Amino acid sequence: MKIKLFDSELKVMEVLWREGNLTAGQLALILKEETGWNRNTTYTVIKKCIDKGAIERLEPNFTCKALISKEEVQEQETTELINKMFEGSPERFFATYINEKNLTKKQIDKLKQIVDKLK
């Protein structure tokens, strides 16, 4: 399921992924504390997520349930970035990333472990 989420929608999803199902009111309270959003802003963003199929509204109490996982969104966003900026080449993406960063030995070792697991 391909769903494009914008930054504000990702903020709502992050809370649901972290906390599990919440009522819209609970989401509004958390996001007020974390981002300063008012209740109307939160409800507007929740509605957008529902319209996109990222959140399901359950009754009673307008409970919000994430319909897509964080991993699914990460994969979609990464694929989109690679297609857009690296001509669809994961190798170019990876090479650019590791060449542009001053990676620590620990980070390099972790990347090597990840690649080794793929073999």
Side-chain angles (χ1 to χ4, degrees):
M1 174 185 296
K2 187 173 182 184
I3 298 172
K4 175 67 178 161
L5 297 175
F6 295 101
D7 289 347
S8 59
E9 296 158 347
L10 285 169
K11 288 184 188 315
V12 169
M13 296 304 297
E14 285 288 347
V15 174
L16 289 175
W17 291 327
R18 182 180 70 227
E19 303 291 332
N21 297 354
L22 295 170
T23 66
Q26 291 169 317
L27 266 170
L29 288 173
I30 292 169
L31 286 165
K32 180 179 177 68
E33 187 171 306
E34 291 181 3
T35 66
W37 288 358
N38 65 38
R39 181 176 290 273
N40 288 340
T41 300
T42 300
Y43 279 43
T44 298
V45 177
I46 290 170
K47 182 172 181 343
K48 288 179 182 179
C49 290
I50 290 169
D51 291 345
K52 289 183 175 186
I55 291 176
E56 179 180 17
R57 177 182 177 162
L58 305 171
E59 293 300 339
N61 302 326
F62 194 163
T63 299
C64 298
K65 174 184 176 182
L67 294 177
I68 55 173
S69 70
K70 184 174 186 172
E71 293 75 18
E72 288 173 296
V73 173
Q74 289 171 330
E75 185 178 329
Q76 289 173 25
E77 291 288 329
T78 303
T79 299
E80 184 178 321
L81 173 67
I82 290 170
N83 288 337
K84 180 178 179 180
M85 300 301 296
F86 300 94
E87 298 171 0
S89 172
E91 297 86 356
R92 283 187 184 167
F93 166 76
F94 191 70
T96 299
Y97 179 77
I98 62 174
N99 287 327
E100 294 297 321
K101 299 287 181 189
N102 292 320
L103 298 176
T104 66
K105 178 168 177 13
K106 185 177 180 181
Q107 290 171 321
I108 292 168
D109 290 342
K110 181 67 176 169
L111 288 171
K112 285 180 182 177
Q113 288 175 355
I114 291 168
V115 170
D116 286 343
K117 285 182 184 177
L118 296 174
K119 293 180 182 178

